[in-house]
Amino acid sequence: MDASTTPSVLFVCVHNAGRSQMAAAFLTHLGADRVQARSAGSAPASAVNPAAVEGMREAGIDISAETPKVLTAEAVQSSDVVITMGCGDACPYFPGKRYLDWQLEDPAGQGVAAVRPIRDEIERRIRGLLAELGIEPAA
């Protein structure tokens, strides 16, 4: 697939340190090269949540090298699907884009035990999104 036919998904949360990082990692892992995943935050943290890193490591995905990124209007405009995770009015809106809002508990300040159910719910939703996009998840 070339870039013009590869769907692009942007995950947005406030700090881009937990939920959106896990979602982008799952989409990249399960969608392989058939989908582009990015994440950003309306007020990015200085580092990815260590409990999210550990929770994803348990799932076989390494996000330890990721860094929180600031949300830009350009990132939203260049995405086919924008999935928000509690960033509210801070997320820019562009007509014609597909928006989904995933209500997920914020793992900020919590340990890996609290992250696991959030991680598992994100994986379930990513598999559903891939099905909607007509993309078979990688093994």
Side-chain angles (χ1 to χ4, degrees):
M1 276 189 187
D2 64 31
S4 64
T5 58
T6 303
S8 174
V9 180
L10 174 65
F11 297 96
V12 181
C13 66
V14 175
H15 301 297
N16 188 219
R19 296 165 293 182
S20 56
Q21 290 282 355
M22 291 189 287
F26 270 125
L27 188 61
T28 298
H29 181 74
L30 296 170
D33 59 353
R34 296 161 295 164
V35 63
Q36 179 189 27
R38 292 176 295 158
S39 67
S42 53
S46 59
V48 174
N49 180 339
V53 172
E54 178 58 30
M56 291 301 286
R57 184 176 292 124
E58 291 176 358
I61 300 171
D62 183 6
I63 62 169
S64 62
E66 296 297 325
T67 55
K69 293 166 278 310
V70 69
L71 176 65
T72 64
E74 295 76 25
V76 176
Q77 283 183 300
S78 65
S79 299
D80 298 306
V81 181
V82 178
I83 299 177
T84 58
M85 301 171 169
C87 73
D89 296 339
C91 295
Y93 178 82
F94 293 96
K97 295 288 169 194
R98 180 172 175 210
Y99 286 86
L100 299 172
D101 185 45
W102 289 359
Q103 296 295 319
L104 295 161
E105 188 177 335
D106 187 350
Q110 301 189 63
V112 71
V115 168
R116 288 181 187 117
I118 300 166
R119 174 202 64 203
D120 295 346
E121 176 62 15
I122 289 171
E123 181 180 8
R124 186 188 70 75
R125 292 181 187 206
I126 291 296
R127 289 181 180 278
L129 177 64
L130 286 167
E132 285 177 35
L133 295 172
I135 297 171
E136 187 69 30

